Amino acid sequence: MVNNSKIQFLKYKNNFKIKNNDYLLLLDDNKTSKYIFKTNQLFIDFPDKKFKKYINKFFNFNKNSRKFKYIKPNSYYLKTNKYLDEMSLFFNNDCTKLDSIIVKNKNLNLNLNEIKFSYYSSNSFDSLFTLNLSNENYIKYDFRYEK
């Protein structure tokens, strides 16, 4: 859950997929695509390099884990990160599961909870990062080529 909205987040190599009840967002090196379910609209634009960089920094657990400092039992905060003002991790009582994450900066206030990690065993992830639109009556806006 992110700010009381269930969200699915997938990352593979340099591709991201973010899905909630309202939209599906795909980010790759060539474009950013957002499909809005309710209106059947697909928006395609140039890659959002700043947003991808921000997400990469946020989810770079190997690098960030060395910067976490102890607050109290089961609670840690990220001491230094130029992209975030505050990032705190909270674990369950026996520290076996990540319970929640709070992320804040001047433009962002995220509360992630009910976190579940899943791992895919397949080596073919390409289909997870494509739009398979069953409804052919969607409206497509490709801003990469519009002037």
Side-chain angles (χ1 to χ4, degrees):
M1 301 279 284
V2 176
N3 296 343
N4 295 320
S5 177
K6 186 177 179 180
I7 190 167
Q8 179 186 36
F9 178 87
L10 297 172
K11 179 182 188 275
Y12 177 66
K13 294 184 180 178
N14 209 20
N15 299 319
F16 297 95
K17 179 179 182 178
I18 302 170
K19 182 180 177 184
N20 68 14
N21 291 335
D22 299 322
Y23 62 85
L24 171 64
L25 182 65
L26 299 175
L27 297 108
D28 61 37
D29 291 333
N30 301 316
K31 65 188 172 308
T32 297
S33 303
K34 182 174 185 178
Y35 179 71
I36 302 171
F37 300 118
K38 194 179 269 187
T39 61
N40 287 331
Q41 293 177 306
L42 172 62
F43 297 91
I44 304 171
D45 208 341
F46 290 105
D48 190 337
K49 294 176 184 178
K50 186 176 180 180
F51 184 55
K52 281 184 64 174
K53 186 175 183 178
Y54 185 84
I55 292 174
N56 269 323
K57 292 287 185 185
F58 178 78
F59 285 100
N60 189 345
F61 290 118
N62 289 335
K63 189 173 184 178
N64 287 336
S65 64
R66 295 179 294 227
K67 298 178 183 178
F68 278 100
K69 303 299 177 194
Y70 176 82
I71 301 175
K72 60 183 181 180
N74 306 339
S75 301
Y76 298 83
Y77 75 98
L78 185 61
K79 187 174 181 184
T80 57
N81 186 318
K82 66 180 181 177
Y83 296 98
L84 303 172
D85 292 339
E86 177 184 335
M87 182 173 176
S88 300
L89 300 179
F90 301 94
F91 295 88
N92 66 351
N93 288 337
D94 58 359
C95 287
T96 58
K97 292 185 181 180
L98 183 59
D99 180 61
S100 60
I101 301 173
I102 295 175
V103 180
K104 293 180 183 176
N105 73 15
K106 63 182 177 230
N107 301 317
L108 179 69
N109 188 7
L110 289 178
N111 183 1
L112 291 80
N113 54 32
E114 298 180 31
I115 300 167
K116 296 176 184 166
F117 292 96
S118 299
Y119 299 94
Y120 291 96
S121 59
S122 172
N123 290 332
S124 176
F125 293 105
D126 294 337
S127 63
L128 294 173
F129 296 93
T130 59
L131 286 168
N132 296 320
L133 302 174
S134 59
N135 181 354
E136 300 201 9
N137 295 323
Y138 66 92
I139 302 167
K140 179 178 175 181
Y141 302 97
D142 193 338
F143 296 112
R144 296 171 298 172
Y145 308 109
E146 292 185 12
K147 294 186 180 191

